[in-house]
Amino acid sequence: MRGLTGEGSARTRGSIQAVSTALAVPTAIALLVSGCGAGGTGARDEGPAHADSVAGAAATPSAAPSKSPDAVNAVKLVKDDPKVAPEVKRELKPCVANEYPVDVSYGNLTGGSADDVVVNVLTCGDAVGVGSYVYREQGGAYENVFTSEEPPVYAEIDRGDLVVTKQVYDKGDPVSSPSGENVITYRWTSGRFAEKYRTHNDYGKVAGDSATPVPSS
């Protein structure tokens, strides 16, 4: 199970939990409302550039350690961001007390003087990733340089690259057993994230899986 993080805390999880189809806007929002109303989104993917870098124009992030930022208020960052879908902002509420379903991680992705901030917004009950964002420090403020809002989605930092995992469901797949996943690696190139690698992993089916089938939307 994914834990929750308080407003402004900075914690990271290792991998996306595959527990919901969330392949369409109605399904994703329904999950959010039924879980505890903590994050919802339409299908949108803004920010990443799905193209290789232009020869000679790449800006490889520096290998030198960057300055670690103070823990950001991730909830405020998302809610104040004009690039975030209104559904995500509206449904981003505490699951319990002041605990928000938000994962935050820091790392050098863009070669700046300070670490970049990766924010994943999840649902409360199922911890389904409904939005992934990367913020770059610019002049004392954070700028959104990557947005992915096609649930279920989860973004991580891997050796200076941005790795985004998206679960894949075939017709009739149980909600707890997706057919596979797409893993997309992005690299900061010429002032934006460009797709560098894409892999697809098929999951094996366990005999006797009695999980509930995906509800038709």
Side-chain angles (χ1 to χ4, degrees):
M1 285 291 297
R2 297 184 186 283
L4 300 175
T5 180
E7 183 171 334
S9 65
R11 298 193 298 173
T12 308
R13 291 181 173 80
S15 63
I16 183 171
Q17 176 179 347
V19 290
S20 171
T21 60
L23 293 176
V25 174
T27 308
I29 296 177
L31 280 171
L32 302 177
V33 174
S34 64
C36 97
T41 179
R44 199 173 60 148
D45 190 358
E46 297 177 0
H50 301 286
D52 287 335
S53 60
V54 178
T60 303
S62 171
S66 56
K67 179 183 66 178
S68 295
D70 295 330
V72 301
N73 185 329
V75 174
K76 187 178 188 318
L77 203 60
V78 169
K79 288 192 172 185
D80 290 347
D81 185 355
K83 293 184 178 180
V84 174
E87 293 86 354
V88 174
K89 296 180 183 181
R90 183 168 57 248
E91 300 299 337
L92 181 53
K93 303 173 184 178
C95 295
V96 291
N98 67 337
E99 296 293 315
Y100 285 80
V102 175
D103 281 354
V104 187
S105 57
Y106 303 90
N108 190 351
L109 289 169
T110 67
S113 58
D115 277 347
D116 304 297
V117 182
V118 177
V119 180
N120 287 286
V121 178
L122 314 170
T123 62
C124 279
D126 298 325
V128 176
V130 295
S132 297
Y133 313 95
V134 178
Y135 293 94
R136 186 173 193 257
E137 195 275 334
Q138 291 276 68
Y142 285 99
E143 174 190 4
N144 183 328
V145 292
F146 180 89
T147 298
S148 182
E149 294 175 333
E150 295 179 355
V153 61
Y154 198 86
E156 300 174 279
I157 301 171
D158 184 6
R159 292 168 292 185
D161 288 333
L162 176 66
V163 178
V164 178
T165 302
K166 297 182 178 182
Q167 239 85 71
V168 177
Y169 290 83
D170 287 339
K171 184 177 180 180
D173 279 345
V175 294
S176 60
S177 300
S179 293
E181 65 181 9
N182 291 323
V183 182
I184 309 166
T185 300
Y186 296 97
R187 187 167 297 163
W188 186 253
T189 303
S190 301
R192 65 190 304 182
F193 282 103
E195 181 179 331
K196 301 302 294 183
Y197 313 105
R198 179 183 289 256
T199 60
H200 174 79
N201 300 316
D202 285 325
Y203 298 151
K205 297 299 181 181
V206 178
D209 188 353
S210 59
T212 305
V214 174
S216 58
S217 56

